[in-house]
Amino acid sequence: MFLKLTVVFIVLLQSYVTLASDPDPVTDFCIPQTDAATILLQCKNSSLATVDDFVFSGIKNPGKFGETGLSSIPVNVNVFPGLNTLGMSMVRADFEIAGVNVPHFHPRATETAVVLEGKIYSGFIDTENRIYAKVIEKGDVMVFPRGLVHFQMNVGSTKATILGSFDSQNPGLLRIPSGIFGSGIKEELLEKAFGLNAKELAKLRKRFGPH
Amino acid sequence: MFLKLTVVFIVLLQSYVTLASDPDPVTDFCIPQTDAATILLQCKNSSLATVDDFVFSGIKNPGKFGETGLSSIPVNVNVFPGLNTLGMSMVRADFEIAGVNVPHFHPRATETAVVLEGKIYSGFIDTENRIYAKVIEKGDVMVFPRGLVHFQMNVGSTKATILGSFDSQNPGLLRIPSGIFGSGIKEELLEKAFGLNAKELAKLRKRFGPH
Amino acid sequence: MFLKLTVVFIVLLQSYVTLASDPDPVTDFCIPQTDAATILLQCKNSSLATVDDFVFSGIKNPGKFGETGLSSIPVNVNVFPGLNTLGMSMVRADFEIAGVNVPHFHPRATETAVVLEGKIYSGFIDTENRIYAKVIEKGDVMVFPRGLVHFQMNVGSTKATILGSFDSQNPGLLRIPSGIFGSGIKEELLEKAFGLNAKELAKLRKRFGPH
Amino acid sequence: MFLKLTVVFIVLLQSYVTLASDPDPVTDFCIPQTDAATILLQCKNSSLATVDDFVFSGIKNPGKFGETGLSSIPVNVNVFPGLNTLGMSMVRADFEIAGVNVPHFHPRATETAVVLEGKIYSGFIDTENRIYAKVIEKGDVMVFPRGLVHFQMNVGSTKATILGSFDSQNPGLLRIPSGIFGSGIKEELLEKAFGLNAKELAKLRKRFGPH
Amino acid sequence: MFLKLTVVFIVLLQSYVTLASDPDPVTDFCIPQTDAATILLQCKNSSLATVDDFVFSGIKNPGKFGETGLSSIPVNVNVFPGLNTLGMSMVRADFEIAGVNVPHFHPRATETAVVLEGKIYSGFIDTENRIYAKVIEKGDVMVFPRGLVHFQMNVGSTKATILGSFDSQNPGLLRIPSGIFGSGIKEELLEKAFGLNAKELAKLRKRFGPH
Amino acid sequence: MFLKLTVVFIVLLQSYVTLASDPDPVTDFCIPQTDAATILLQCKNSSLATVDDFVFSGIKNPGKFGETGLSSIPVNVNVFPGLNTLGMSMVRADFEIAGVNVPHFHPRATETAVVLEGKIYSGFIDTENRIYAKVIEKGDVMVFPRGLVHFQMNVGSTKATILGSFDSQNPGLLRIPSGIFGSGIKEELLEKAFGLNAKELAKLRKRFGPH
């Protein structure tokens, strides 16, 4: 039974972070508790926090590159628990030459992005379908307003790197291609919405569908 | 000169609404001032507000239907100024038989939707690309969490009507098909993102592009 | 002992929903966990959520009518757990002919109300004691600003129905007559506050007092 | 014309304060501008602010006592402009012997009240119509949760004084007796809501109605 | 094992309060549960709350005076659990003649302070290093904007008392002298930051360092 | 007179940005209007916004170094107006060898800092006077919770660079040494607070005082 409870507690442990809300914290910080002896503790006793709870070292190098030539490493509360209740998170994105960060959005945050290396075609779309896009270079900062669709493409002749920051500990991410064509929305609806015939849609669903 | 100032003030008038923020109001209400004699007033003097400032009668009937068989009439602060600072707005959506509300999202609000008439296939996608969809009927309520992509299709044999409510005075709306393919994102990026060839993309851009 | 803990956990389960705050969520959603095997989980593991967590079917018909000819069915997080952290809730109110929704207010929300059927005298009072009231009809929308006292009466010759939406998952409700006269406030205070004599007050207390 | 504009500006001046929202400020402070030369300035240039903008001396003595033996002096942003954007305000309430602060609520704030002198029967009602009331004395602190109806009565043998604080720069105030019976709500509705006959209601309306 | 779990639960009990966020509550109130039989309950079942949960009697007298002639008693959620989720707290500060409240700030709240007795030199510094300070007297109210450094000194010939209110249930407090010189910041950094030599710094570190 | 009004308007222009609040925006974005013809416009008409409103190029190189070997360039709404209402800002900080970023805090934001080059001793103090500090290197991310005092020192053998992000469009900055000793706080208070004699204090005041 103790084992069973422990399992329950560990599941609890992995989920409780999600309850905290981005608005004003009511403590200096709240490190999710991971010590086995006090598995139920929601915030680690603040006297047990150490500086390492507030430092993250996982974005020193690019991650694994995907099909479109992008590697992105999120630094949100799920991997960096010290961010809990503090209202911020980050992402490192590396681009191969011609690499693309497909159109996507974050439902819960604005993003500021700084180019660390390279030349990036970068932009967003507002709710009037207007596009705001241009090539930005090393040292440029671009802001993507909360919840708006944005995208990037390495248009330089070298690898490129961007550092993004968010005003939420867990901004969320929905990539349009896989979200729309890979999630199983009724085919008839998609055909009508995009003006595609069954064959065209099937190609897209095959590409982005769950495998 | 007075004319010039008046123009300036009227422009001001049309834009100041956008500054208010959805969070906690600091007055009972704040009706944007429209009376010519006091063009600069940001909130109408509260003693001049009338009950008609708080009633909107523009959704008694469906609006004009579009290409996908949908008519939607937003009831946000832009058409119903009394909503200013009150943190809410609405929408009436009518569907022809087989009519589709294309995948879209509201960057600044959760939506609760009630079916007034008909049978609607209705759903949303979360940030793990999981779909939550089913057919809902007259009297059913469905909630679409803040910022997530959702969609609907009339799958019944009669017209259908939905009433939606939002927890923002101006939730915003981005329809995915026209936003992605009709806003002018660089072709090379879209081809790579969606795995489309130039001809396939051209068809989509033609359908959704600005005319 | 396991039983005892289980009881504790179930009590916990029924109360934890109340801790979440209406402001910006930090996850797509957070369905309160009800599965027995993981009773402590605060948010159901998101991969276990189903579309039925986001659909509520309990307002297809009116509820039971009360003394003043009103039936109201709240659709808040207590009955529709999928609303948790999403910042919205609803209510269906049905009125018999001449039925009255007594003066009341919601301490934590603005309300937008749409008339689905009938003719309703509907209004609210601001903090200057000004009244904003008129008869609204099928299709009209009226907004009641956050925390202000409002009221309704069916002044048509048929039953009437209103659908209300709130910008809180749990707006709260205080009906003035029973709150003031049925809660046990010291009689001397009420007599002085309302200018009533002991007999007049006793009548009101009898009508609204706890039985 | 300049005169006309000036009038417009002064009206503006008196109303613009209401636009600011209680949530997180984006500046240290924002003193509403009152200098004639810069009448349009929304926040006084911060270099022109003085310490007197942040000090209020109007509650050193009680105000004028009303019919129920209460004097209350609000210290909100309307009389103490330095509170603008800072999310707080206060009130001084003095009670004659047996004086009553009638049941009322603040739609936009929690209140903490400290007894400076005297013995006060003090309480509030929650949304389940439960009462929380007791006699508190000099030095006691009582909290009235946001938006809930509360009331007080001097039950000691001397004058009494309370100091209240609010977490809004403009909490609002609705006194139940005058709000309900003095605002002009349709008589038929009130009769039905309170179970009063026409004569009983007329007495209440006469007492609280606008004169 | 039950004992062990109980210990775990009690630790939980003492920490869970910190998770709640100051923004809009979603219940009337949320009294942290302390009854042994239901140790896990996050909010006490609201039907078990009593008026004493909302009254605090611990500031009727000054506390113990410290080295600078100040006694301060915080009334936050840690000592007055009924404040939980309600967004407010208080402090009573008493000053000996010439007593000093050293420069400090509250990271999570604005403070309004009322002089109950005495003459206090009181002020704050904005982010442009401008000072706003003057002598305030009995009955004066002064506001210290959120997060700004402030300080006080009894400049009268009698003891003095101030009552402060905050718009957070747990505003936090950092006293500059002990925070900067008593927390163990690298000496080289402090020497350079303050232009002190090793001996001067050592004196300050000795005075404020942990003992 | 037109000139006078124009001056008024320009002053207005420079101050209105400060009214917006960091919480949830109600529009996609709100670029402060700077075009002379429409000087009063609070948000630029969104159709006139261009991509350059959302890109900032002023941190490609370090700024001017100060006395402690630090150059810091804030990227907040005052220099990058496109951030208005979007809830975020940034800073670039460059350190000479042994350069120091003196103890300081931001009253309105959490900060996440990424080391772009070098080895930095970096830390913060919580409200219990506990220090969290260590040497971080290229690629490390450290978070400084909202409102807490933090500091940095280049302890490597090369120049160092840090990129900071904030969850406010205008986080504010108070440097402790100059704020406390250079703002004109009464000498007697500072002597008592820091345990300094008149001569010691005079040295500090001379160093940090306004010149």
Side-chain angles (χ1 to χ4, degrees):
Chain A
M1 186 195 100
F2 188 67
L3 194 68
K4 190 173 174 183
L5 277 171
T6 303
V7 171
V8 167
F9 296 166
I10 287 169
V11 175
L12 165 67
L13 199 63
Q14 292 169 330
S15 64
Y16 82 86
V17 169
T18 59
L19 271 196
S21 156
D22 274 324
D24 298 354
V26 290
T27 48
D28 289 353
F29 48 79
C30 169
I31 311 296
Q33 177 64 34
T34 55
D35 184 62
T38 54
I39 39 175
L40 266 176
L41 208 50
Q42 290 177 311
C43 298
K44 184 191 283 193
N45 185 314
S46 64
S47 67
L48 300 177
T50 72
V51 64
D52 291 320
D53 285 316
F54 303 102
V55 176
F56 181 79
S57 299
I59 56 167
K60 297 198 174 192
N61 299 297
K64 200 181 144 208
F65 284 83
E67 205 171 352
T68 63
L70 175 80
S71 150
S72 85
I73 308 177
V75 185
N76 58 33
V77 72
N78 300 311
V79 297
F80 184 8
L83 294 177
N84 190 32
T85 74
L86 298 182
M88 295 199 73
S89 57
M90 302 194 76
V91 65
R92 173 184 174 146
D94 291 87
F95 297 77
E96 290 175 343
I97 295 171
V100 163
N101 194 354
V102 305
H104 66 281
F105 68 97
H106 309 284
R108 291 181 291 278
T110 288
E111 178 175 2
T112 51
V114 182
V115 182
L116 297 188
E117 286 300 331
K119 296 176 62 172
I120 305 272
Y121 166 77
S122 177
F124 70 90
I125 304 164
D126 73 10
T127 58
E128 305 292 333
N129 283 0
R130 283 185 291 246
I131 188 171
Y132 302 84
K134 72 180 295 189
V135 176
I136 56 176
E137 305 191 2
K138 184 173 176 171
D140 282 334
V141 183
M142 186 164 189
V143 61
F144 306 117
R146 181 175 302 195
L148 299 191
V149 169
H150 51 285
F151 45 83
Q152 285 148 338
M153 183 173 186
N154 181 353
V155 294
S157 53
T158 61
K159 286 204 173 185
T161 304
I162 277 186
L163 197 62
S165 300
F166 303 99
D167 62 344
S168 168
Q169 68 180 45
N170 190 24
L173 165 63
L174 191 113
R175 292 192 175 94
I176 301 295
S178 53
I180 299 300
F181 297 110
S183 60
I185 300 175
K186 186 193 264 289
E187 295 173 38
E188 195 181 349
L189 189 158
L190 288 177
E191 287 170 18
K192 200 158 182 178
F194 287 86
L196 298 169
N197 59 39
K199 193 176 159 196
E200 290 164 334
L201 180 61
K203 180 184 166 192
L204 283 160
R205 287 170 60 100
K206 186 173 171 203
R207 180 180 172 88
F208 296 107
H211 304 294
Chain B
M1 186 194 100
F2 187 67
L3 194 67
K4 190 174 174 183
L5 277 172
T6 303
V7 170
V8 167
F9 295 167
I10 285 169
V11 175
L12 164 67
L13 198 62
Q14 291 169 330
S15 63
Y16 81 86
V17 170
T18 59
L19 271 194
S21 156
D22 274 324
D24 299 353
V26 291
T27 48
D28 291 350
F29 49 78
C30 169
I31 310 295
Q33 177 64 33
T34 55
D35 184 63
T38 54
I39 39 176
L40 267 175
L41 206 51
Q42 291 177 312
C43 299
K44 183 190 284 192
N45 185 313
S46 64
S47 67
L48 300 178
T50 73
V51 63
D52 291 321
D53 286 316
F54 303 101
V55 176
F56 180 78
S57 300
I59 56 166
K60 297 198 173 193
N61 299 296
K64 200 180 144 208
F65 284 83
E67 206 173 350
T68 64
L70 175 81
S71 150
S72 85
I73 309 177
V75 185
N76 59 32
V77 71
N78 300 312
V79 297
F80 184 9
L83 295 177
N84 190 32
T85 75
L86 297 182
M88 296 199 73
S89 58
M90 303 194 76
V91 66
R92 172 182 175 149
D94 291 88
F95 297 77
E96 290 176 343
I97 295 172
V100 163
N101 194 355
V102 306
H104 66 282
F105 68 96
H106 310 283
R108 292 181 290 278
T110 288
E111 178 176 1
T112 51
V114 182
V115 182
L116 297 188
E117 287 299 332
K119 297 176 62 173
I120 305 273
Y121 166 79
S122 176
F124 70 90
I125 303 164
D126 73 10
T127 59
E128 305 293 333
N129 282 1
R130 284 185 292 247
I131 188 170
Y132 303 84
K134 71 179 295 191
V135 176
I136 55 176
E137 304 191 2
K138 181 171 178 172
D140 282 335
V141 183
M142 186 163 189
V143 61
F144 306 116
R146 182 176 301 196
L148 298 192
V149 169
H150 52 284
F151 44 83
Q152 285 147 339
M153 183 173 185
N154 182 354
V155 293
S157 53
T158 60
K159 287 202 172 185
T161 304
I162 277 187
L163 196 63
S165 300
F166 303 98
D167 63 342
S168 168
Q169 69 180 45
N170 190 24
L173 165 63
L174 191 112
R175 293 192 175 94
I176 301 296
S178 53
I180 300 300
F181 297 109
S183 60
I185 301 174
K186 186 192 262 291
E187 295 174 37
E188 195 181 350
L189 188 158
L190 288 178
E191 286 170 18
K192 199 158 183 177
F194 286 86
L196 297 169
N197 59 38
K199 192 177 158 195
E200 289 165 333
L201 180 60
K203 180 184 165 192
L204 283 161
R205 288 170 60 99
K206 186 173 171 204
R207 180 179 172 88
F208 295 107
H211 305 294
Chain C
M1 186 193 101
F2 188 66
L3 195 67
K4 190 174 174 183
L5 277 171
T6 303
V7 170
V8 167
F9 296 165
I10 286 169
V11 175
L12 165 66
L13 199 63
Q14 291 169 330
S15 63
Y16 83 86
V17 169
T18 59
L19 270 195
S21 157
D22 274 325
D24 299 353
V26 291
T27 48
D28 290 351
F29 48 78
C30 169
I31 310 295
Q33 177 65 32
T34 54
D35 184 64
T38 54
I39 39 175
L40 268 176
L41 207 51
Q42 291 177 312
C43 298
K44 183 190 285 194
N45 185 314
S46 65
S47 67
L48 300 178
T50 72
V51 63
D52 291 320
D53 286 316
F54 303 101
V55 175
F56 181 78
S57 300
I59 55 166
K60 296 197 174 192
N61 299 297
K64 201 181 143 208
F65 285 82
E67 206 172 350
T68 64
L70 175 80
S71 149
S72 86
I73 309 177
V75 185
N76 58 33
V77 72
N78 300 313
V79 297
F80 184 8
L83 294 177
N84 191 31
T85 75
L86 298 183
M88 295 198 73
S89 57
M90 303 193 76
V91 65
R92 173 182 175 148
D94 291 88
F95 297 76
E96 289 176 344
I97 294 172
V100 163
N101 194 355
V102 305
H104 66 281
F105 68 96
H106 309 283
R108 291 181 291 278
T110 289
E111 178 176 1
T112 51
V114 182
V115 183
L116 298 189
E117 287 298 331
K119 296 176 62 174
I120 304 273
Y121 166 78
S122 176
F124 70 90
I125 304 164
D126 73 11
T127 59
E128 305 293 334
N129 283 0
R130 282 185 292 246
I131 188 171
Y132 302 84
K134 71 179 296 188
V135 177
I136 55 176
E137 305 191 2
K138 182 172 177 173
D140 282 336
V141 183
M142 186 163 188
V143 62
F144 306 117
R146 182 176 300 194
L148 299 192
V149 169
H150 51 285
F151 45 82
Q152 285 147 339
M153 183 173 185
N154 182 353
V155 293
S157 52
T158 60
K159 287 202 173 186
T161 304
I162 278 186
L163 197 64
S165 300
F166 303 98
D167 62 344
S168 169
Q169 69 179 44
N170 190 25
L173 165 63
L174 191 113
R175 292 193 175 93
I176 302 295
S178 53
I180 300 300
F181 297 109
S183 61
I185 300 175
K186 186 193 262 292
E187 294 174 38
E188 196 181 349
L189 189 159
L190 288 178
E191 287 169 18
K192 199 158 184 177
F194 286 87
L196 297 170
N197 60 37
K199 193 177 158 195
E200 289 164 332
L201 180 59
K203 180 184 167 192
L204 283 161
R205 286 170 61 99
K206 186 174 170 203
R207 179 179 173 88
F208 295 108
H211 306 294
Chain D
M1 187 194 100
F2 188 67
L3 194 67
K4 189 174 176 183
L5 278 172
T6 303
V7 171
V8 167
F9 296 165
I10 286 169
V11 176
L12 164 67
L13 199 63
Q14 290 170 331
S15 63
Y16 83 85
V17 169
T18 59
L19 270 196
S21 156
D22 274 323
D24 299 352
V26 292
T27 49
D28 290 352
F29 48 78
C30 169
I31 312 296
Q33 177 66 32
T34 55
D35 184 64
T38 54
I39 38 174
L40 267 176
L41 207 50
Q42 291 177 313
C43 298
K44 183 191 283 193
N45 186 314
S46 64
S47 67
L48 301 177
T50 72
V51 65
D52 292 321
D53 285 316
F54 303 101
V55 176
F56 181 78
S57 300
I59 56 167
K60 296 197 173 192
N61 299 297
K64 200 181 145 208
F65 284 83
E67 206 172 350
T68 64
L70 174 80
S71 149
S72 86
I73 309 177
V75 186
N76 59 32
V77 71
N78 300 312
V79 297
F80 185 8
L83 295 177
N84 190 32
T85 73
L86 298 182
M88 296 199 72
S89 57
M90 303 193 75
V91 67
R92 173 183 175 148
D94 291 87
F95 297 77
E96 290 176 343
I97 295 172
V100 163
N101 194 354
V102 306
H104 66 281
F105 67 96
H106 309 284
R108 291 181 291 278
T110 288
E111 177 176 1
T112 52
V114 181
V115 182
L116 297 188
E117 286 299 332
K119 296 177 62 173
I120 305 272
Y121 165 78
S122 176
F124 69 90
I125 304 164
D126 74 9
T127 58
E128 305 293 333
N129 283 359
R130 283 185 292 247
I131 188 170
Y132 303 84
K134 72 179 295 190
V135 176
I136 55 176
E137 305 192 2
K138 182 172 179 173
D140 282 334
V141 183
M142 186 163 189
V143 62
F144 306 117
R146 181 175 302 195
L148 298 192
V149 169
H150 51 285
F151 44 82
Q152 286 148 336
M153 182 173 186
N154 181 353
V155 294
S157 53
T158 60
K159 287 202 173 186
T161 304
I162 278 187
L163 197 63
S165 301
F166 303 98
D167 62 343
S168 169
Q169 69 179 46
N170 190 25
L173 165 63
L174 191 113
R175 293 191 175 95
I176 301 295
S178 54
I180 300 299
F181 297 109
S183 60
I185 300 175
K186 185 192 264 289
E187 295 173 39
E188 195 180 351
L189 189 158
L190 288 177
E191 287 170 17
K192 200 158 184 178
F194 287 87
L196 297 168
N197 60 38
K199 193 177 158 195
E200 289 165 332
L201 179 61
K203 180 183 167 194
L204 284 161
R205 286 170 61 100
K206 186 173 171 203
R207 180 179 172 89
F208 296 107
H211 305 294
Chain E
M1 189 194 99
F2 187 67
L3 194 67
K4 190 174 174 182
L5 278 171
T6 303
V7 171
V8 167
F9 295 165
I10 286 168
V11 176
L12 165 67
L13 199 63
Q14 291 169 330
S15 63
Y16 82 86
V17 170
T18 59
L19 271 194
S21 157
D22 274 324
D24 298 353
V26 291
T27 49
D28 290 350
F29 48 78
C30 169
I31 312 295
Q33 176 66 33
T34 54
D35 184 64
T38 54
I39 40 176
L40 267 175
L41 207 51
Q42 291 177 311
C43 298
K44 183 190 284 193
N45 185 314
S46 64
S47 66
L48 300 177
T50 73
V51 63
D52 292 321
D53 285 316
F54 302 101
V55 176
F56 181 78
S57 299
I59 56 167
K60 296 198 173 190
N61 299 297
K64 201 180 144 208
F65 285 83
E67 206 172 348
T68 64
L70 175 80
S71 149
S72 86
I73 308 177
V75 186
N76 58 32
V77 71
N78 301 312
V79 298
F80 185 8
L83 294 177
N84 190 31
T85 75
L86 297 183
M88 296 200 73
S89 57
M90 303 193 75
V91 66
R92 173 183 174 147
D94 291 88
F95 297 77
E96 290 175 344
I97 294 170
V100 163
N101 193 356
V102 307
H104 67 280
F105 68 95
H106 310 283
R108 290 180 292 278
T110 288
E111 178 175 0
T112 51
V114 182
V115 182
L116 297 188
E117 286 300 331
K119 295 176 63 173
I120 306 273
Y121 165 78
S122 177
F124 70 90
I125 304 163
D126 73 11
T127 58
E128 304 293 333
N129 283 359
R130 283 184 292 246
I131 188 170
Y132 302 84
K134 71 179 294 188
V135 176
I136 56 176
E137 305 192 1
K138 183 173 177 171
D140 282 335
V141 183
M142 186 164 190
V143 61
F144 306 117
R146 181 175 302 196
L148 299 191
V149 170
H150 52 283
F151 44 81
Q152 285 147 339
M153 183 174 186
N154 181 354
V155 293
S157 54
T158 61
K159 288 203 173 185
T161 304
I162 278 187
L163 195 64
S165 300
F166 303 98
D167 62 343
S168 169
Q169 69 179 46
N170 190 25
L173 165 63
L174 192 113
R175 292 193 176 91
I176 301 295
S178 54
I180 300 300
F181 296 109
S183 60
I185 300 176
K186 186 193 263 290
E187 296 173 37
E188 195 180 350
L189 188 158
L190 288 177
E191 287 169 17
K192 199 158 184 177
F194 287 86
L196 298 169
N197 60 38
K199 193 177 159 196
E200 290 165 333
L201 180 61
K203 180 183 166 194
L204 283 161
R205 287 170 60 99
K206 187 172 170 204
R207 179 179 171 87
F208 296 107
H211 306 294
Chain F
M1 187 195 101
F2 187 67
L3 194 67
K4 190 175 175 182
L5 278 172
T6 303
V7 170
V8 167
F9 295 166
I10 285 169
V11 176
L12 164 67
L13 198 62
Q14 291 169 332
S15 63
Y16 82 86
V17 169
T18 59
L19 271 196
S21 157
D22 274 324
D24 299 353
V26 291
T27 48
D28 290 350
F29 48 78
C30 169
I31 311 296
Q33 177 66 33
T34 55
D35 184 63
T38 53
I39 39 175
L40 267 176
L41 207 50
Q42 291 177 314
C43 299
K44 184 190 283 193
N45 185 313
S46 64
S47 67
L48 301 177
T50 72
V51 63
D52 292 321
D53 286 315
F54 303 101
V55 176
F56 181 78
S57 300
I59 56 167
K60 296 197 173 194
N61 300 296
K64 201 181 145 207
F65 285 83
E67 206 171 350
T68 65
L70 175 80
S71 149
S72 85
I73 309 176
V75 186
N76 58 32
V77 71
N78 301 311
V79 298
F80 185 8
L83 294 177
N84 190 31
T85 75
L86 297 183
M88 296 199 72
S89 58
M90 304 193 75
V91 65
R92 173 182 174 147
D94 291 88
F95 297 77
E96 289 176 343
I97 294 171
V100 162
N101 194 354
V102 306
H104 66 282
F105 67 97
H106 309 284
R108 292 181 291 278
T110 288
E111 178 176 2
T112 51
V114 181
V115 182
L116 297 189
E117 287 298 332
K119 295 176 63 173
I120 306 271
Y121 166 77
S122 176
F124 70 90
I125 303 163
D126 73 11
T127 59
E128 305 293 332
N129 282 1
R130 282 185 293 247
I131 188 171
Y132 302 84
K134 71 179 295 189
V135 176
I136 55 176
E137 305 192 1
K138 182 172 177 171
D140 282 334
V141 183
M142 186 163 189
V143 61
F144 306 117
R146 181 175 302 195
L148 299 191
V149 169
H150 51 283
F151 44 83
Q152 286 148 338
M153 182 174 187
N154 181 355
V155 294
S157 52
T158 60
K159 287 203 172 185
T161 304
I162 277 188
L163 196 63
S165 300
F166 303 99
D167 62 343
S168 168
Q169 69 179 47
N170 190 26
L173 164 63
L174 191 112
R175 293 192 174 94
I176 302 296
S178 52
I180 300 301
F181 297 109
S183 59
I185 300 176
K186 186 190 263 290
E187 296 173 37
E188 195 181 349
L189 189 158
L190 288 178
E191 287 170 17
K192 200 160 184 176
F194 287 87
L196 297 169
N197 59 38
K199 194 177 159 197
E200 290 165 332
L201 180 60
K203 180 184 165 193
L204 283 161
R205 287 170 60 99
K206 186 173 172 204
R207 180 179 171 88
F208 296 107
H211 304 294

